[in-house]
Amino acid sequence: MSSENRVILGIDPGTQVFGWGVVVVSCGRASYKAMGVTSLKKHKSHFEKLAAIYSSVESLIEEYGPDELAVEAPFYGKNVQSMLKLGRAQGAAIAAALRVKMPVFEYAPRRIKQSITGMGAASKHQVASVISSILGVDDVPESFDATDGLAVALCHFLSMNLSPDMRERKGSSGGGSAGSKWSAFVKNNPGRIK
């Protein structure tokens, strides 16, 4: 897959708020386009929230014309009901992309943090700081859900910019250590390291 001239929509699904971010890829570089959140708190039932997620993602697709959707995978915690609801939220976002035949890529939360900060256990604040530094975002919103959505999009860009042999080893949403990803990035982008 070429990394040239494409738009990536990143989604951090949630049942109260979902975050989203858009990056534009041109000449092998990602640049910031937009980020935000959609509040679902006014919707009473879970099914109303799913409809709102689907509709919001449709609107984002229409507004920004992304070529690919990158979405954060639900995190398995102790509460199975919460994970089920997050999975449904993710599914609503994915369905909106699939309706327009957009390729979808899924990344684990730990992998996203690792690709952005080099640490799989990084805090949301650390992710937001690195994201704003990498993409030159001056006006970072208060909600970490927005920067999390942007982090998903940037993680996808970084994953797709690995050398072809690295991409083959990891698959479309697989692993690879932070060190090997960073080494590949440095090798392929010597002019971007300061």
Side-chain angles (χ1 to χ4, degrees):
M1 172 182 295
S2 169
S3 65
E4 299 303 305
N5 302 316
R6 70 187 199 278
V7 178
I8 303 168
L9 171 61
I11 298 284
D12 176 29
T15 56
Q16 296 299 315
V17 174
F18 85 82
W20 57 270
V22 180
V23 297
V24 177
V25 179
S26 181
C27 299
R29 298 185 91 135
S31 60
Y32 168 72
K33 178 70 174 177
M35 70 174 140
V37 295
T38 299
S39 176
L40 306 166
K41 294 175 184 176
K42 66 181 178 187
H43 301 288
K44 301 282 185 245
S45 82
H46 183 62
F47 298 109
E48 287 175 4
K49 291 179 182 191
L50 295 178
I53 291 168
Y54 185 92
S55 176
S56 294
V57 174
E58 268 191 327
S59 295
L60 291 169
I61 290 169
E62 191 173 305
E63 182 172 355
Y64 295 105
D67 300 292
E68 298 160 351
L69 174 71
V71 64
E72 182 174 302
F75 172 73
Y76 178 74
K78 293 179 180 176
N79 189 331
V80 176
Q81 280 298 104
S82 292
M83 185 181 172
L84 177 61
K85 287 180 179 177
L86 279 175
R88 287 176 175 170
Q90 181 201 44
I94 290 171
L98 293 177
R99 189 184 71 77
V100 294
K101 297 180 174 33
M102 184 184 304
V104 176
F105 300 83
E106 182 181 55
Y107 298 93
R110 185 171 183 82
R111 171 138 184 244
I112 295 165
K113 292 174 182 178
Q114 196 167 40
S115 73
I116 302 300
T117 68
M119 300 179 298
S123 70
K124 288 179 175 285
H125 185 270
Q126 289 170 316
V127 171
S129 286
V130 174
I131 284 283
S132 62
S133 176
I134 291 173
L135 294 175
V137 180
D138 295 326
D139 192 21
V140 178
E142 288 183 21
S143 172
F144 288 128
D145 294 298
T147 50
D148 284 352
L150 193 57
V152 178
L154 187 59
C155 171
H156 178 60
F157 164 73
L158 294 171
S159 295
M160 292 294 103
N161 265 6
L162 293 175
S163 61
D165 62 316
M166 287 292 294
R167 206 175 310 138
E168 261 178 41
R169 281 188 283 177
K170 74 170 186 56
S172 68
S173 62
S177 71
S180 63
K181 284 190 263 187
W182 180 248
S183 298
F185 179 79
V186 170
K187 180 180 173 191
N188 293 331
N189 300 280
R192 293 185 61 195
I193 308 304
K194 295 181 180 180

